[in-house]
């Protein structure tokens, strides 16, 4: 591919050196066009997740501090570029997002950039690049959900993420793209978990056998996804779980067990055997941390919950068995 021209390089270096959040997609976009650069991931990296993610973080900070989000925005100093470039006003600025309408504008613009990139980085020939662009699309939906008040629309957005990621998992070779497959499976499992929570929240409004079947199906899909993720970590010869995981995989693996424990506890029928499976997952986490004390920092928040559930679940299981 053609190297970025001097104007493009100047813009990129100035963004990196400044305190300004990298939202000026249009600057990068226009510079790449004039310098013969192929549409790529750089187009959307400057305007997708950082903008929506930072904005949602600031809104949460405002809620914690009991102040108006506008006060946080006004209080931040915004450095300015000293460029004299004849560019039209970009749809994404350095201003933080405060509501759904603003978030939607950023979302649509970033999705356009991603789709433009995907038209060049097709799956056949650019597997890694195409998969990363699909992951960015998924994350854009995840960030937009924060600003969406309607549960039905939230569910639809997560369903879009599931369709995108599950389709990709079917097309990519696990043997040749193992690291990438692990990323996709873990994110897909998280999608099922979030969607299940939203559906359970809706359960009181749509209390029927059909709803219960949907919840059970979602739970099973979530379990299958995380079990498949964990199977990619097994020893290739013995097909068994290793005694020790590499540092980069400790948290994802333990979190996968944590998600599995939650999935098993959310079956509608609440059978003792499902809760026993949940208990086993919590025990797996605790046992691993006790064998490798230095890994406790990777699950600092989840570990105390696991310890508590190990104490509580046996009593609940016993009560359910007595009721039968």
């Amino acid at each position: 591919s053609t190297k970025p021209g001097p104007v493009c390089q100047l813009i990129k270096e100035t963004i990196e050196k400044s305190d300004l959040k990298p939202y000026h997609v249009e600057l990068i976009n226009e510079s790449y066009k004039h310098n013969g650069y192929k549409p790529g991931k750089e187009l959307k990296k400057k305007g997708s997740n950082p903008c929506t993610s930072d904005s949602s973080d600031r809104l949460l900070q405002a809620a914690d501090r009991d102040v108006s989000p506008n006060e946080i925005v006004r209080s931040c100093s915004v450095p300015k570029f000293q460029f004299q470039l004849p560019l039209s006003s970009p749809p994404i600025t350095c201003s933080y997002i405060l509501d759904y309408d603003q978030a939607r504008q950023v979302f649509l613009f970033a999705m356009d950039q991603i789709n433009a990139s995907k038209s060049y980085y097709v799956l056949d020939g650019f597997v890694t690049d195409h998969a990363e662009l699909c992951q960015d699309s998924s994350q854009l939906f995840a960030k937009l959900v924060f600003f969406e008040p309607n549960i039905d629309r939230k569910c639809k957005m997560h369903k879009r993420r599931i369709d995108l990621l599950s389709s990709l998992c079917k097309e990519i070779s696990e043997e040749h793209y193992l690291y990438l497959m692990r990323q996709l499976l873990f994110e897909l499992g998280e999608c099922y978990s979030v969607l299940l929570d939203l559906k359970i929240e809706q359960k009181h409004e749509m209390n029927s056998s059909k709803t219960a079947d949907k919840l059970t199906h979602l739970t099973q899909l979530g379990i299958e996804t995380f079990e498949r993720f964990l199977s990619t970590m097994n020893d290739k010869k013995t097909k068994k779980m290793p005694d020790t995981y590499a540092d980069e995989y400790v948290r994802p693996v333990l979190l996968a067990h944590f998600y599995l424990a939650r999935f098993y506890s959310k079956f509608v029928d609440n059978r003792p055997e499902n809760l026993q499976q949940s208990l086993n997952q919590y025990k797996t986490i605790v046992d691993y941390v006790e064998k490798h004390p230095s890994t406790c920092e990777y699950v600092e928040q989840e570990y105390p919950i696991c310890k508590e559930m190990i104490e509580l679940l046996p009593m609940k299981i016993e009560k359910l068995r007595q009721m039968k």
Side-chain angles (χ1 to χ4, degrees):
S1 58
T2 307
K3 291 184 179 180
V7 176
C8 174
Q9 194 61 37
L10 173 63
I11 296 173
K12 290 180 71 176
E13 290 175 358
T14 306
I15 289 177
E16 290 169 358
K17 292 178 182 178
S18 72
D19 295 327
L20 186 62
K21 296 294 180 183
Y23 305 149
H24 287 71
V25 184
E26 195 64 24
L27 296 175
I28 305 298
N29 190 3
E30 289 295 322
S31 183
Y32 282 167
K33 286 180 183 177
H34 294 307
N35 283 275
Y37 208 73
K38 296 293 184 183
K41 292 175 287 183
E42 292 85 354
L43 293 175
K44 50 84 192 169
K45 285 291 185 184
K46 297 296 178 185
S48 54
N49 293 348
C51 188
T52 48
S53 182
D54 288 348
S55 297
S56 59
D57 289 343
R58 294 183 82 81
L59 288 174
L60 290 173
Q61 290 176 25
D64 290 339
R65 291 162 51 183
D66 196 24
V67 298
S68 167
N70 290 309
E71 291 183 31
I72 293 183
V73 174
R74 283 197 296 268
S75 65
C76 67
S77 60
V78 180
K80 296 181 179 180
F81 284 127
Q82 301 299 320
F83 292 137
Q84 299 296 326
L85 299 177
L87 300 177
S88 58
S89 177
I92 298 177
T93 70
C94 59
S95 301
Y96 287 97
I97 297 168
L98 297 176
D99 56 36
Y100 177 79
D101 290 335
Q102 294 176 7
R104 185 174 179 274
Q105 289 182 8
V106 176
F107 170 84
L108 292 174
F109 177 77
M111 284 296 286
D112 284 343
Q113 303 307 312
I114 290 175
N115 290 332
S117 300
K118 285 167 71 175
S119 66
Y120 179 79
Y121 292 102
V122 294
L123 185 61
D124 185 12
F126 299 95
V127 176
T128 302
D129 293 314
H130 185 86
E132 287 179 356
L133 288 166
C134 290
Q135 285 178 289
D136 286 319
S137 295
S138 171
Q139 284 301 306
L140 270 176
F141 277 110
K143 301 304 180 186
L144 183 62
V145 165
F146 176 87
F147 299 92
E148 174 55 68
N150 185 277
I151 293 183
D152 284 333
R153 288 199 291 267
K154 284 184 178 183
C155 290
K156 289 177 181 177
M157 290 181 195
H158 286 298
K159 185 64 168 61
R160 291 284 297 275
R161 297 178 65 200
I162 288 171
D163 292 341
L164 181 65
L165 296 172
S166 59
S167 174
L168 206 55
C169 286
K170 294 175 183 176
E171 297 184 66
I172 291 179
S173 168
E174 183 176 317
E175 181 182 357
H176 296 100
Y177 298 95
L178 181 58
Y179 183 79
L180 184 59
M181 182 63 77
R182 286 169 176 168
Q183 287 184 334
L184 294 171
L185 287 171
F186 192 90
E187 185 174 350
L188 179 59
E190 288 183 314
C191 291
Y192 283 125
S193 178
V194 176
L195 183 58
L196 179 61
D197 288 339
L198 289 172
K199 290 294 185 182
I200 290 175
E201 192 175 338
Q202 283 184 313
K203 183 183 174 184
H204 301 293
E205 302 173 10
M206 302 181 296
N207 196 5
S208 65
S209 59
K210 189 175 180 181
T211 303
D213 291 340
K214 286 183 178 179
L215 293 178
T216 300
H217 182 60
L218 268 178
T219 304
Q220 290 172 337
L221 288 173
I223 290 172
E224 290 172 7
T225 302
F226 275 115
E227 284 182 343
R228 184 180 172 189
F229 167 79
L230 290 172
S231 70
T232 66
M233 300 289 178
N234 292 344
D235 185 274
K236 291 183 179 180
K237 294 181 179 179
T238 63
K239 304 297 183 182
K240 293 183 179 180
M241 189 177 90
D243 294 331
T244 306
Y245 294 101
D247 289 345
E248 64 179 314
Y249 290 125
V250 171
R251 178 164 175 78
V253 167
L254 296 184
L255 274 184
H257 285 290
F258 191 80
Y259 275 115
L260 282 171
R262 294 184 71 248
F263 274 121
Y264 276 114
S265 66
K266 290 183 179 181
F267 271 108
V268 178
D269 49 19
N270 207 19
R271 294 177 182 174
E273 50 266 34
N274 291 330
L275 291 182
Q276 184 61 52
Q277 287 282 4
S278 179
L279 177 60
N280 293 341
Q281 298 298 329
Y282 287 124
K283 283 183 176 179
T284 299
I285 298 171
V286 173
D287 289 345
Y288 188 89
V289 172
E290 288 180 350
K291 289 180 181 178
H292 310 86
S294 61
T295 61
C296 186
E297 62 180 292
Y298 292 107
V299 284
E300 190 174 354
Q301 294 181 342
E302 294 82 8
Y303 184 68
I305 298 175
C306 296
K307 295 278 285 185
E308 184 178 353
M309 295 307 293
I310 286 176
E311 294 180 4
L312 296 176
L313 278 178
M315 294 183 287
K316 187 172 182 179
I317 293 170
E318 185 59 32
K319 285 183 180 179
L320 288 173
R321 284 174 176 163
Q322 288 178 358
M323 289 173 62
K324 288 190 174 183

